[in-house]
Amino acid sequence: MKLTLEVWRQKNGGDKGGFSTYELEDVDTHMSFLEMLDVLNQDLIVGGAEPIAFEHDCREGICGACGFVVNGVAHGHQKGSTICQLHMRHFSDGDKITIEPWRAKAFPIIKDLVVDRSSFDRILQAGGFVTIRTGSAPDANALPVATDTLEHAMDFAECIGCGACVASCPNGAAMLFVGAKISHLALLPQGMPEKAKRALKMVEAMESEAFGACTNYTSCEAVCPKEISISGIARMNKDFRRASVAGAEPAHGKKR
Amino acid sequence: MKLDARVPSGPLADKWQSLLDEIKLVSPANKRKHTIIVVGTGLAGGSAAASLGELGYEVKAFCYQDSARRAHSISAQGGINAAKNYQNDGDSVYRLFYDTIKGGDYRSREANVYRLAEVSNNIIDQCVAQGVPFGREYGGYLANRSFGGAQVSRTFYARGQTGQQLLLGAVSALNAQVAAGTVDLNIRSEMLDLVVVDGRARGIITRDTVTGEVESHVADAVLLCTGGYSNVYFLSTNAKGCNVTAIWRAYKKGAGFANPNYTQIHPTCIPQSGDYQSKLTLMSESLRNDGRVWVPKAVGDERAPNDIPEDERDYYLERIYPSFGNLVPRDVASRNAKNVCDEGRGIGTTKRGVYLDFAEAIDRLGEDVIRARYGNLFDMYEMITGENPYKAPMRIYPAPHYTMGGLWVDYYLMTTIPGLFALGEANFSDHGANRLGASALMQGLADGYFVIPNTLGEYIAGAKLEAVSPDQEEFNAARSEVEARTERLLSINGSRSVDEIHRELGMVMLDKCGMSRSAEGLTEAIEQIRVLKKEFWSNIKVPGTGEELNQELEKAGRVADLFELAELMCMDARQRNESCGGHFREEYKTDEGEARRDDENFTNVTVWEYKGDDAEPVAHTEELEFETVELTQRSYK
């Protein structure tokens, strides 16, 4: 099939950038979206032009590297998938496809469709973990975890950190991402001791980055390739408020 | 090249503990005076960097991705083995050790494999404590599934994305250390050379992939945790960025490269659909628990799978291997798939495919149970192929997946260059000629969490390390070399893309150094690789400059190294005059067509020493001594 692509090209963070148009003559319906871009890039390279830079690695929808906006939708219109999992059979001959990078203040553009998502990692570094020294863990079966609870935690743990939630949010909020990590760990008994501290630290770190606030558009949930629920945001808010009131540190037993 | 494996003396089961009892220690006050470089942030690198940071070392970690969490370990699906025996089905440390040695076709080092099995249980404990949501049974206790090459259920899993959850656990531990200030994490940094000073590994040269800046980093020890090199085949299940560069640079600086030809071609991948294909997608081996593999009995049967009656189907694995059936090890499953396709009984448009059928399991257990077990894998299959595997069988075919070969390491995981260590898939040590499913995750984490934190101290405490500066001669020379190479790649200005030539290399390798090899074919392959390599260096086109994000430049540098590696792989396969595990030489097979080992001459590891670009590398051998296990013909019948 024939396709017309409008692709955002931007040389670097300082460049203004703009759309370029590419006509594709012979796109196979079995191709993945990224393979379609590979084919275009091969032509550009051989023709002496610079290929379109885009991030990708596993191409199986799990590493979270890929992601851009296709016709206004993060990762394209296929529900519950990353852009690397979208295949061209979902498009029709003659379609015009607009491709642009994640647009969010907290994700500065590096080149073309590649953005800097290191703000996500800074939030995780603030508290997205259980403190457990290597070698000091008790037997794995020491603490039973109800399967419902476990599955619930796993639903949140599946987040791949791609940034689609931020890119699709009119406010550029990172709350689905942060809520998912807080919920994953808060639901498990292993995450309980640091629950309050974690919520405070991660929310604080999130607010120190250039993310916006949540105003319940729920567009994050709609585009999430792992279909993570906004109930994680509610849990994050609850844990954060409770921790703010009670304080992150345990109560004292000694007179101060 | 001296190959001393430094295996502790004493009975097999006591070796690791006796080493721990006697190993030199580094005092807490001294650890922070030592900088340790960790390259790669997958399961091995992530867990090593986190654990060493926690011990008090100054750790500098590097990854080429934009986040440590994206290392390719994240893609592992099926699970991780451990000898917990929670199932009460007769498992033990010894049995896990034995299955792994046998699965590797007796081409791995006994003591290393025993240690792997020994620490396997600690890994599960550690991960659960980190919040890794392994699957559980209704009582709330951990569940297991079966995997190929074992008759017990010892595989722990987190839906179909165990690697993701284990890596997120390891990276969370790493993140905690970044926050604590013990780990300096460098993303978007690609290691392009190793720096050796006075015979010891003392640092690396990296390129910042955003600015193009080439930087020197000094350390007291360097850990390479950079994964495998299946991308030499172009089409593989590896992530697109996976490459051999770090360990190849180390090889060229004097590290021995062991068994480069040992490659695992994974039996259950989605078949190729066209010439534009960029990678192949794995369907977890765990599917073989409930899926049955078959092809039509008749050659050229064009009917849809559901129209072929039961008695006209050949469930060939169940037929040939009645005791293991569909759960034979990967090398056996792959080779048999190739055989039935070679006979003309392959399915799909390309005829390079076999069915993996869940109809019987769905009948027996119901669609809901199958969905709970494999839902995300089925969804992924449908997204890629547009076919619904609940209604019609999956089509699968083998694809390059894992490389058992890698840098030679001793029992301490140290390479032949003092101070240079290799962990995880980057080393050769634990899987012999064939890796069992769910063992890669186990090895990566064993090396990173439990082995290196102990064995590194022996080197640090025992070595007299002079201070080195990033401005001294050895570093400057390595930097200049890296810069010159970048310049050279950019200045070729030919007419073909890197991918185009890489694809051709891949086809040669898959055809002649893939599931089946012959001396004649390998000799031809070496000639073809040399021709292609010349074409590469004279006719590729890399647009852009070296001072910006340039993905084509990164790719070109990696492929240049894959060309050199490809030749070594073929040489290695050609000299190993036997069939073992994933290395199947057409000249060496039993009357039944199974692999025929030559234990008399090849119970060894081949270790290659680099002698210069224009000289032939030299092959050395480490003899494998089996004190406990008796070598037998591997049989899954």
Side-chain angles (χ1 to χ4, degrees):
Chain A
M1 59 184 172
K2 286 185 184 180
L3 295 173
T4 304
L5 304 187
E6 293 274 332
V7 185
W8 185 263
R9 302 302 307 262
Q10 183 173 336
K11 206 155 172 43
N12 52 50
D15 181 29
K16 196 159 159 268
F19 283 102
S20 296
T21 307
Y22 303 94
E23 304 286 344
L24 272 70
E25 291 297 319
D26 191 18
V27 176
D28 192 310
T29 53
H30 287 299
M31 284 180 180
S32 72
F33 201 91
L34 299 189
E35 283 165 352
M36 185 265 298
L37 288 183
D38 288 342
V39 171
L40 169 60
N41 274 346
Q42 294 305 298
D43 289 346
L44 292 175
I45 293 163
V46 175
E50 276 211 45
I52 300 159
F54 61 92
E55 205 113 54
H56 64 98
D57 208 10
C58 78
R59 298 199 176 196
E60 293 181 10
I62 194 77
C63 76
C66 72
F68 40 78
V69 177
V70 177
N71 291 338
V73 183
H75 289 302
H77 62 279
Q78 179 173 257
K79 283 279 290 171
S81 94
T82 52
I83 191 64
C84 66
Q85 297 289 79
L86 177 63
H87 282 65
M88 299 314 291
R89 71 179 75 92
H90 300 291
F91 293 87
S92 314
D93 188 42
D95 276 0
K96 187 173 158 183
I97 304 174
T98 309
I99 302 172
E100 45 190 329
W102 290 163
R103 295 196 190 276
K105 202 172 162 194
F107 292 164
I109 293 177
I110 294 175
K111 185 177 184 175
D112 295 341
L113 306 173
V114 178
V115 300
D116 177 353
R117 289 170 289 196
S118 54
S119 45
F120 265 9
D121 280 340
R122 288 191 291 274
I123 299 173
L124 294 182
Q125 283 155 9
F129 46 79
V130 171
T131 304
I132 169 78
R133 190 168 276 282
T134 303
S136 62
D139 185 85
N141 255 350
L143 268 180
V145 182
T147 45
D148 288 354
T149 310
L150 189 278
E151 294 299 325
H152 193 183
M154 181 67 191
D155 287 342
F156 290 113
E158 284 189 348
C159 168
I160 58 173
C162 64
C165 47
V166 176
S168 67
C169 175
N171 305 327
M175 291 198 174
L176 191 70
F177 171 77
V178 181
K181 184 46 69 186
I182 284 179
S183 300
H184 157 211
L185 295 176
L187 281 162
L188 294 172
Q190 289 82 6
M192 285 305 287
E194 292 168 289
K195 184 175 152 186
K197 187 177 164 194
R198 181 180 309 117
L200 282 177
K201 292 266 188 189
M202 289 183 73
V203 171
E204 203 176 279
M206 176 179 78
E207 287 179 343
S208 72
E209 301 285 345
F211 296 106
C214 174
T215 49
N216 289 322
Y217 277 101
T218 71
S219 51
C220 51
E221 186 185 70
V223 300
C224 175
K226 297 296 158 188
E227 302 184 300
I228 290 171
S229 152
I230 52 160
S231 65
I233 300 179
R235 179 176 302 277
M236 175 188 80
N237 286 332
K238 189 182 81 182
D239 286 0
F240 176 73
R241 284 206 197 93
R242 185 175 288 174
S244 306
V245 174
E249 301 304 323
H252 298 293
K254 293 257 189 187
K255 191 179 164 207
R256 290 276 160 132
Chain B
M1 183 172 278
K2 193 167 148 273
L3 299 173
D4 176 3
R6 293 197 289 164
V7 174
S9 56
L12 188 62
D14 300 341
K15 286 182 194 293
W16 179 232
Q17 188 56 48
S18 70
L19 178 138
L20 292 178
D21 292 343
E22 290 161 18
I23 203 166
K24 288 192 196 105
L25 299 175
V26 182
S27 84
N30 282 339
K31 284 199 186 90
R32 65 172 171 268
K33 295 178 191 161
H34 294 284
T35 301
I36 312 298
I37 282 177
V38 181
V39 186
T41 58
L43 288 182
S47 60
S51 303
L52 294 174
E54 195 176 77
L55 283 171
Y57 290 105
E58 284 281 323
V59 178
K60 283 178 107 172
F62 297 83
C63 65
Y64 73 76
Q65 299 89 344
D66 75 318
S67 169
R69 68 182 294 158
R70 307 211 200 281
H72 185 54
S73 304
I74 199 126
S75 300
Q77 297 171 356
I80 176 167
N81 286 332
K84 284 285 194 186
N85 194 27
Y86 285 159
Q87 301 296 321
N88 193 28
D89 58 359
D91 202 7
S92 65
V93 167
Y94 183 84
R95 205 178 281 276
L96 172 55
F97 151 76
Y98 180 78
D99 287 347
T100 309
I101 279 274
K102 177 187 172 196
D105 219 354
Y106 309 99
R107 291 294 174 263
S108 41
R109 196 187 287 143
E110 231 182 17
N112 286 51
V113 179
Y114 193 87
R115 174 179 65 191
L116 176 67
E118 221 177 332
V119 302
S120 66
N121 293 340
N122 303 60
I123 296 171
I124 303 304
D125 299 342
Q126 187 68 27
C127 295
V128 166
Q130 287 169 344
V132 170
F134 284 126
R136 289 172 185 263
E137 294 175 3
Y138 285 112
Y141 295 99
L142 290 158
N144 292 110
R145 55 169 57 138
S146 319
F147 249 63
Q151 288 171 311
V152 294
S153 263
R154 62 160 74 100
T155 304
F156 294 79
Y157 62 93
R159 294 189 185 157
Q161 52 228 67
T162 315
Q164 180 201 23
Q165 294 308 315
L166 294 177
L167 184 62
L168 293 182
V171 167
S172 75
L174 179 66
N175 279 336
Q177 293 307 309
V178 171
T182 61
V183 176
D184 170 21
L185 177 60
N186 299 270
I187 58 166
R188 296 189 192 274
S189 291
E190 182 157 23
M191 171 181 161
L192 292 180
D193 212 350
L194 174 76
V195 181
V196 178
V197 179
D198 295 333
R200 294 176 186 277
R202 294 308 302 272
I204 61 171
I205 307 293
T206 60
R207 179 176 178 272
D208 179 317
T209 57
V210 176
T211 63
E213 202 178 332
V214 176
E215 292 167 340
S216 300
H217 303 273
V218 170
D220 294 320
V222 176
L223 277 48
L224 300 184
C225 314
T226 54
Y229 46 85
S230 294
N231 275 344
V232 73
Y233 295 94
F234 187 82
L235 286 180
S236 81
T237 65
N238 281 192
K240 294 296 286 175
C242 293
N243 65 82
V244 77
T245 292
I247 59 174
W248 193 253
R249 302 278 123 200
Y251 163 70
K252 293 180 86 165
K253 288 286 170 94
F257 204 122
N259 301 329
N261 93 74
Y262 287 170
T263 308
Q264 175 158 87
I265 316 272
H266 195 293
T268 49
C269 303
I270 300 176
Q272 186 176 355
S273 67
D275 298 335
Y276 47 79
Q277 189 113 10
S278 60
K279 75 156 286 167
L280 295 168
T281 302
L282 176 82
M283 289 281 104
S284 168
E285 170 168 315
S286 62
L287 293 170
R288 284 198 276 141
N289 268 305
D290 289 307
R292 299 176 70 195
V293 178
W294 65 275
V295 290
K297 278 185 180 161
V299 171
D301 191 334
E302 298 283 346
R303 287 175 291 178
N306 293 340
D307 295 339
I308 301 179
E310 251 335 277
D311 62 350
E312 291 179 48
R313 300 174 176 193
D314 179 12
Y315 294 91
Y316 58 89
L317 290 177
E318 297 171 22
R319 172 173 59 82
I320 306 171
Y321 307 97
S323 66
F324 278 71
N326 293 296
L327 286 176
V328 291
R330 291 174 175 180
D331 54 337
V332 178
S334 291
R335 204 147 48 236
N336 279 281
K338 180 180 186 295
N339 290 346
V340 295
C341 292
D342 288 348
E343 288 163 25
R345 297 195 287 145
I347 52 94
T349 48
T350 60
K351 303 287 167 216
R352 305 306 293 179
V354 300
Y355 290 122
L356 180 62
D357 198 333
F358 294 88
E360 188 265 335
I362 292 173
D363 255 8
R364 179 163 43 90
L365 302 164
E367 202 172 304
D368 287 347
V369 173
I370 296 299
R371 183 167 282 115
R373 283 185 192 168
Y374 313 110
N376 66 323
L377 298 171
F378 277 43
D379 291 348
M380 181 149 85
Y381 182 84
E382 188 168 0
M383 266 186 210
I384 292 172
T385 61
E387 297 162 18
N388 179 352
Y390 293 102
K391 303 282 174 231
M394 287 183 178
R395 291 174 296 113
I396 54 161
Y397 197 67
H401 177 56
Y402 186 93
T403 45
M404 283 76 68
L407 293 185
W408 182 88
V409 291
D410 63 15
Y411 191 72
Y412 293 71
L413 302 183
M414 191 154 89
T415 68
T416 55
I417 300 176
L420 180 70
F421 296 78
L423 282 64
E425 191 179 352
N427 76 28
F428 87 106
S429 84
D430 293 357
H431 308 297
N434 172 58
R435 180 176 66 74
L436 290 184
S439 286
L441 304 186
M442 173 171 69
Q443 188 217 342
L445 292 179
D447 287 359
Y449 282 135
F450 298 110
V451 180
I452 199 71
N454 290 298
T455 59
L456 178 69
E458 169 82 9
Y459 174 74
I460 295 291
K464 282 206 173 59
L465 297 164
E466 307 287 334
V468 295
S469 145
D471 298 320
Q472 75 185 53
E473 197 193 327
E474 291 87 348
F475 280 88
N476 288 338
R479 279 181 58 135
S480 305
E481 236 175 86
V482 164
E483 283 161 355
R485 190 177 156 86
T486 299
E487 235 359 89
R488 201 178 149 201
L489 289 167
L490 286 165
S491 65
I492 297 169
N493 205 18
S495 63
R496 299 182 68 190
S497 72
V498 174
D499 274 358
E500 200 186 326
I501 303 184
H502 187 185
R503 261 180 213 282
E504 289 180 23
L505 170 68
M507 282 192 281
V508 172
M509 291 300 287
L510 196 60
D511 185 33
K512 307 224 160 86
C513 196
M515 272 183 281
S516 121
R517 297 117 183 235
S518 71
E520 195 189 0
L522 290 161
T523 303
E524 280 166 23
I526 291 170
E527 284 313 309
Q528 288 169 310
I529 292 163
R530 285 178 183 166
V531 171
L532 279 174
K533 185 174 152 194
K534 218 168 163 185
E535 169 76 356
F536 176 90
W537 281 105
S538 60
N539 201 18
I540 58 160
K541 185 161 188 94
V542 181
T545 70
E547 288 83 43
E548 58 179 335
L549 177 69
N550 187 337
Q551 295 173 321
E552 281 300 301
L553 175 64
E554 292 165 33
K555 209 191 279 176
R558 294 168 189 163
V559 174
D561 289 334
L562 289 174
F563 266 105
E564 297 180 13
L565 163 81
E567 202 177 315
L568 190 71
M569 286 172 74
C570 293
M571 289 173 69
D572 186 48
R574 189 174 57 179
Q575 64 80 35
R576 185 161 286 274
N577 291 326
E578 65 163 350
S579 292
C580 57
H583 170 65
F584 188 79
R585 280 277 300 272
E586 287 154 22
E587 304 95 318
Y588 307 98
K589 55 187 174 192
T590 64
D591 296 338
E592 291 166 306
E594 299 291 333
R596 183 157 57 81
R597 293 199 318 265
D598 176 356
D599 288 340
E600 201 173 318
N601 296 303
F602 286 99
T603 307
N604 60 30
V605 179
T606 309
V607 187
W608 294 89
E609 182 182 9
Y610 175 74
K611 288 287 187 188
D613 280 337
D614 302 317
E616 293 273 304
V618 175
H620 303 270
T621 50
E622 177 199 342
E623 293 304 323
L624 292 169
E625 278 151 38
F626 289 90
E627 296 170 14
T628 311
V629 168
E630 194 189 331
L631 274 62
T632 56
Q633 174 69 36
R634 204 167 54 127
S635 170
Y636 294 93
K637 297 196 166 170

